[in-house]
Each structure stands twice: as C-alpha cells, then as structure tokens.
Amino acid sequence: MTPTPAPTLTWAELRDLKCAELEGAADGWGRSSNRADAARDRIEQQLLTGLRDTQEGEAAQAAVARLRQLGRNFQYVYTECGLLRTTLNSLAHEMRTQQRALKEALDDAAALKFTVGADGSVTYPAAGEALVDGAPLRGGTATSNGLPGLVPPSGLIAPNPNAAKARDIADRVAGAVRAAAEIDWRYAGILRRLKAEEGLKVPDATWRDAAGDAAAVRDAAGAYLKDAIPYDASPAERRDWWAGLTQEQREEYLAVYPDQIGNLDGIPALIRDAANRDNLRLLIGELEGRDDERSATRLAGLREIDRQLGAGTQPPMFLLGIGDEGNGRAIVSYGNPDTARNVAAYVPGLNTSLDEDFATNDLKRARDTAIGARYHDPSSAAIAWLGYDAPQAIDGLGSAAVALDWRATEGGKSLNEFTAGLSATNENSDPHLTAIGHSYGSRTVGAATQQGDGMPGVDDIVLVGSPGVGVDRAEDLGVGSDHVFVGSAENDVVTTVPSKREVVVGAALRPLAPFGVDAGDIADPGNDDLWFGKDPASQAFGAKRFRVDDGPGLVGPVGPSIAAHSQYFDPKRDAASASNIGLIVAGRSSKISSQEYR
C-alpha cells in the first residue's frame, strides 16, 4: 500500500481554495458527457435504425458496423467524461467539508482573541491565577502534536485555561489541513488515470481500463453519492427519490454507479436500460482477457446480449438488469414495461445462468411471448427475469439444489421486489401483470406468492413444465384459482417427477413389490403429487389447464430426450401453448383452449 505523502498544503491555501471553480470544471466535463450521449443516441436510434430499414447488402452491413463502432466510441467518451465530472464534484464536496472544519476553528480562535500563525500554531493571552501570588498566568503558543485532545499534565502549577483551548484549535486546524492534503493526493491519482488512449477505436481492453476507472471513482466518491442511494426503501420510494433528483445528480449517478441504478427496482425502465447498457460494456471489459472457464462462459452470454442490443429488435429490447454476482444476473424486456398495459415476467429454472444459452434461448422465449401478446394487444411487453441463482446440476450440489426449496425462497424475495418495481413505474392506471414460471422457475413463483402479501401487482400466474409450486391448491397462490393457468406436456418428464413421499415410501416398500404391493398407490393415492406438492395440472390443484402439444417422446433419434420440457413458448414447435400464453399475457385468458386435467 503506497503511503500518503506528508501534507504540503497550508491552512491559508485550504481557506482560500475556490471549490466553485472545481465544480465549474465538473460542469464542463458534464456538458461533454451529455453531448457524447446525445450523439450515441442519435446513432443508435436514428441512423442505425434508418440504415437497417432502408438498405441491404455488404456495403450496408459495413456501414452498420462502422456506425456501431462510432456509437461505442461516443459511449466511452460519455462514460469517461461523466467520471471526470463526478471526480471533480466529489473533490469539491470533500474539500468544502474540510474548509468548514477549518473555518469553525478559525472563528473560535477569533472569538477568543487568539492568533493563528502561518504554521498553524495558536498564540493565546494570559489568563487564570497563579497558585502562590494570584497573578495572571502567562500566555503562550500551542502547536498540534497530532493527537487531538491530549494535554500534558501540569504538576502543581495551575494551567492557563487558554492553553487547552489553543491546543484544541491547533489540532483542529492541523486535522483539516492534513485531511485536505490526503484528499488532494487521492484525487490527483484518480484524475491522472482518467485519460483515453490515442486513436479512434475503443476495444475491449480500453473498456477494461474504463471499468478500473469507474471502480476508482466509486471508491473515492462513495460518501458523496452512494450513501444516498435508498437501498432499504420500497420500489415506490426509490421511484420518488429518483424523481426528486436534479438532472445533474441523475447524470452523476448514471456515470459512476450504472450497476447500482440499473439494477434498482423502482427506477424507470428507460433509466435502467441506459445504465445497464453502460454497465454491460464495463462488465465485458472486466472479463475480457481472463482465461478461466467461468469468465469465458459469462463473457459469451454478455456479448450475445450486447449483439442483440446493437442489432435492434422488434419489440425493442430494454436491459433492466445485468450483473456478475452468483450465477449471473440479466433482466431483459421486449417492449417498454413502463408504458405497456400488459407486462409478463418469465422466470426460468434449472441450469439457467448468464451464458450464451440464456442469451439465445431464454431471451427468445420472452420475445416470442411479447410477440404473441402484442398480436392481441400491441400494448404488451414480456421480460426474461434472471434475477436469482437457479439450481445448477453442475454447481457441486448436483441434484440436491433442484430438490430443495431455498433457492426458490431467496429468488421469490427478489422476484417480489421486481414486480413491486414494475407496478411502481408503470404509467397505466391499472396495468395487467403476469408472472410466468417455467420448470424450477414455477417453484420460485410459488415461493414468491407465500411471502408477505404475495406478489405485488400480479394479476395472473402461468406455470409451465412445473414440478410443483410448493402449495397444493391454486387458490393458495393469492390471485384466485381462475387466474392460475397451467401448461403441462404429456412427454415432459419434469412434470411427472415423483413426490418426496413416493420416493421414501417406494424405497421402503420395494422388497414387497413381488407380492403385489404398489408403493405408488400407498404414497400417492390420487396419483397427483409431484416433488414440490400437488401436480398443477391435476384437478385437485384447481388451476386452469390450457392445451399444449404432447412434445417429442422421451427417446429421440439419438437417445433420451427432454425436448418436450423446452418448447412451451415456441410458436413453431408448440403453437397451441405459445398462443395460449400470449392470450393470457394480453389479458384475453377467456379465449384460451383448455385441456383435460391429469
């Protein structure tokens, strides 16, 4: 650790420092940042869109690639200039704090008629009475010894009462100067590193440097910005907090804390999208060059999301969350969830993590759902929500993680926070919100309904490929049994896993099978129990079962197959299921096609 150099600042220089000039410089960098952001937005929202819509061929593709590179360059300028602004503002903020401490000490000295020397020593007048003759005790000069509040013992001589006061003032002056010198040294190091490489290209390596720059500014400016972020507030309170900030404050938070603002439920979707797109580039920069398998897997997923964002989609993509914690975090909406009347949040299950498979297949499920819903009501959006650590069959816990509830319970807490945020920022008077749980994701949805007052804002629940949701009746999910919908393919092995009781009783009674003892009849008389409770597709559960395709058989051309578990959202492989899900999301559930209970 590099030691802080001895202070060269004097108290007079600290007193006369013009923090307003630092803030003026910060404003200039802020204007540069905003111009770069406006240029990037024009490239992405106007030039690229127009080029894709009107031109084809190799020349058009080359032009698109160059425009995307230019847009990323402007994004880099926006990020670095924003960091400079916040660094200067934070420097001014911390220096002004020390100026106030110095001013209070100088004011106290003036009130007591003490004199503060250029070196910080404090001269005080005679006062008090001697023990022998009662004469006033001589005045003197006090200097700071670096240990505030420590006054040497006086023996039998009564001390001049001004001595302790002078020592206190000297200590306070020295403390303010020492702290200001440390601040100056610390920020000088940050400002030195905030410089761009030469040239017009901004490769991943440069973004890696930018990620380090952002981390350095965050470390320095934590008290200036981060302490005010309302992490413990409700999503509605966070929405109001953001609305109450000045434009300059918002821009600083987006420049320094895109990861925090972009993943904060209750912040408007447009703001989260802008923050997360910047954080996506920083994350790619951080992972670039690492050679471990986890980083390579994560990097592939991030790059695929970045590719899709750059390519443009219909419905348009909004990046509502991105992060590197746990198995990775990614929340992608197709359609603006703040303006859409109908919004669906799709929760994936087993083996889902931030990788290329998620970025390709899970995002496609959300997009297919959005397209299906928008066919019935154009004011619809669908979200792929990877906001929790789904069980991984390869995470060292093997099948134990998927067999237990704790990941669903923790995920349910985060899911409720997210749906509360959707409700808080949606601009419609009565939005229609659907929670969709697939596979273990249905168990996560079930867990969310059992916490607090249930899932905030959720009107309908869709369960597909479910091994059970943790409750035995649809009415226990808190939205009414008429608003719980189930799709369960006959060849989907996940929807036929035995219950925990069947496993235990089956093992105990296996020796009696030759004698005609059926463990299944004893453990599950109605043959309608699954691992996490009653089969959602059973009559006993009481949900509305909608028609889905049976799916491919368990034995495919190249061996065992679980393909039936993955096609519920695909309009080509299971048109009936995809259509029914689209109707439910669009608020047209009365038109779904039904299927008999198991």
Side-chain angles (χ1 to χ4, degrees):
M1 182 176 182
T2 304
T4 304
T8 58
L9 190 70
T10 67
W11 67 262
E13 290 172 329
L14 174 59
R15 179 197 61 191
D16 298 336
L17 177 66
K18 293 180 174 58
C19 291
E21 293 183 356
L22 292 173
E23 292 168 333
D27 290 341
W29 287 109
R31 288 190 291 272
S32 296
S33 178
N34 292 338
R35 284 195 293 269
D37 190 39
R40 176 188 62 173
D41 187 67
R42 183 167 182 266
I43 288 171
E44 294 180 351
Q45 302 300 324
Q46 298 179 32
L47 298 181
L48 277 173
T49 300
L51 189 60
R52 291 193 192 99
D53 291 344
T54 60
Q55 304 295 322
E56 296 180 354
E58 292 184 6
Q61 292 175 359
V64 166
R66 292 175 70 103
L67 280 173
R68 287 199 66 193
Q69 180 63 58
L70 182 60
R72 287 185 177 179
N73 290 358
F74 277 123
Q75 183 178 14
Y76 175 73
V77 173
Y78 159 78
T79 298
E80 291 289 295
C81 289
L83 291 175
L84 277 163
R85 170 179 53 190
T86 298
T87 299
L88 291 170
N89 276 333
S90 182
L91 172 59
H93 170 78
E94 292 196 37
M95 283 298 199
R96 191 172 275 123
T97 298
Q98 299 310 318
Q99 280 184 322
R100 285 195 296 268
L102 174 65
K103 183 178 184 301
E104 290 173 359
L106 296 176
D107 288 347
D108 288 346
L112 292 168
K113 301 188 184 310
F114 293 177
T115 302
V116 180
D119 62 352
S121 62
V122 179
T123 301
Y124 56 90
E129 297 179 352
L131 294 176
V132 178
D133 57 8
L137 296 171
R138 289 182 303 174
T141 299
T143 58
S144 175
N145 61 5
L147 300 173
L150 180 61
V151 178
S154 59
L156 298 176
I157 301 174
N160 183 330
N162 285 331
K165 297 176 183 177
R167 173 63 60 81
D168 174 66
I169 291 172
D171 285 339
R172 289 157 59 194
V173 169
V177 172
R178 190 164 48 247
E182 186 278 330
I183 292 167
D184 178 64
W185 172 78
R186 176 159 42 93
Y187 278 93
I190 294 171
L191 289 168
R192 278 194 294 268
R193 69 177 290 169
L194 288 174
K195 61 180 181 180
E197 298 292 333
E198 294 184 3
L200 296 177
K201 290 188 176 181
V202 183
D204 286 342
T206 303
W207 277 107
R208 185 164 62 249
D209 292 339
D213 294 343
V217 175
R218 280 196 296 266
D219 289 343
Y224 171 59
L225 289 176
K226 188 176 182 181
D227 290 353
I229 299 176
Y231 295 106
D232 295 331
S234 69
E237 290 169 335
R238 295 170 186 159
R239 174 201 60 201
D240 295 341
W241 167 77
W242 183 261
L245 296 176
T246 65
Q247 183 61 28
E248 181 180 355
Q249 288 172 322
R250 293 176 186 172
E251 290 167 359
E252 285 194 274
Y253 275 113
L254 289 173
V256 182
Y257 290 109
D259 56 331
Q260 305 295 316
I261 300 303
N263 290 286
L264 197 63
D265 295 317
I267 301 299
L270 287 173
I271 302 300
R272 292 182 70 163
D273 178 63
N276 285 314
R277 287 178 187 242
D278 291 334
N279 191 39
L280 175 63
R281 294 304 313 167
L282 294 175
L283 286 172
I284 289 174
E286 287 178 2
L287 295 174
E288 175 67 24
R290 297 183 186 176
D291 57 5
D292 61 286
E293 183 177 354
R294 175 188 178 277
S295 296
T297 299
R298 189 69 44 86
L299 186 59
L302 292 172
R303 282 179 168 161
E304 175 57 22
I305 291 174
D306 184 52
R307 185 197 67 78
Q308 292 182 39
L309 288 169
T313 64
Q314 285 299 326
M317 290 174 69
F318 293 81
L319 190 57
L320 303 182
I322 199 74
D324 194 37
E325 64 267 31
N327 296 330
R329 300 288 185 268
I331 306 172
V332 179
S333 180
Y334 289 89
N336 188 336
D338 287 352
T339 58
R341 282 191 300 270
N342 307 293
V343 182
Y346 150 64
V347 183
L350 176 66
N351 278 345
T352 309
S353 64
L354 181 51
D355 56 15
E356 192 169 5
D357 180 74
F358 169 83
T360 302
N361 295 319
D362 287 285
L363 293 195
K364 181 181 183 300
R365 291 169 185 167
R367 182 168 181 263
D368 285 342
T369 298
I371 293 172
R374 286 161 75 95
Y375 177 81
H376 303 287
D377 185 347
S379 184
S380 299
I383 302 164
W385 184 82
L386 181 58
Y388 80 119
D389 283 332
Q392 305 291 303
I394 56 174
D395 64 1
L397 297 176
S399 60
V402 74
L404 301 175
D405 295 301
W406 61 277
R407 290 191 186 273
T409 301
E410 291 302 309
K413 294 177 184 177
S414 299
L415 181 58
N416 280 343
E417 186 91 350
F418 179 70
T419 61
L422 291 178
S423 298
T425 58
N426 192 281
E427 299 169 5
N428 294 277
S429 59
D430 186 23
H432 171 243
L433 180 57
T434 303
I436 305 174
H438 175 236
S439 188
Y440 188 88
S442 67
R443 178 66 189 95
T444 302
V445 170
T449 68
Q450 303 306 297
Q451 299 172 13
D453 295 326
M455 301 187 71
V458 170
D459 302 287
D460 290 321
I461 292 176
V462 176
L463 309 168
V464 288
S466 176
V469 296
V471 300
D472 289 334
R473 297 178 302 175
E475 62 188 51
D476 295 333
L477 295 177
V479 295
S481 59
D482 288 346
H483 292 273
V484 180
F485 304 89
V486 176
S488 186
E490 288 304 306
N491 290 328
D492 182 353
V493 66
V494 175
T495 68
T496 58
V497 291
S499 68
K500 299 171 188 177
R501 176 177 169 82
E502 284 182 277
V503 171
V504 173
V505 174
L509 298 182
R510 188 175 296 116
L512 300 179
F515 303 98
V517 176
D518 190 328
D521 289 341
I522 295 174
D524 182 12
N527 194 29
D528 54 11
D529 289 335
L530 296 180
W531 187 262
F532 291 117
K534 197 66 67 178
D535 181 357
S538 69
Q539 186 171 9
F541 188 79
K544 290 187 174 180
R545 187 182 184 191
F546 57 85
R547 189 165 67 86
V548 305
D549 188 82
D550 287 347
L554 297 179
V555 179
V558 293
S561 170
I562 58 170
H565 185 59
S566 304
Q567 64 182 35
Y568 293 100
F569 303 88
D570 193 317
K572 292 183 178 179
R573 294 193 296 163
D574 193 341
S577 177
S579 175
N580 284 323
I581 293 173
L583 283 165
I584 297 165
V585 170
R588 308 289 197 274
S589 60
S590 61
K591 297 182 178 181
I592 65 171
S593 55
S594 300
Q595 188 167 357
E596 291 184 4
Y597 292 117
R598 280 180 172 164

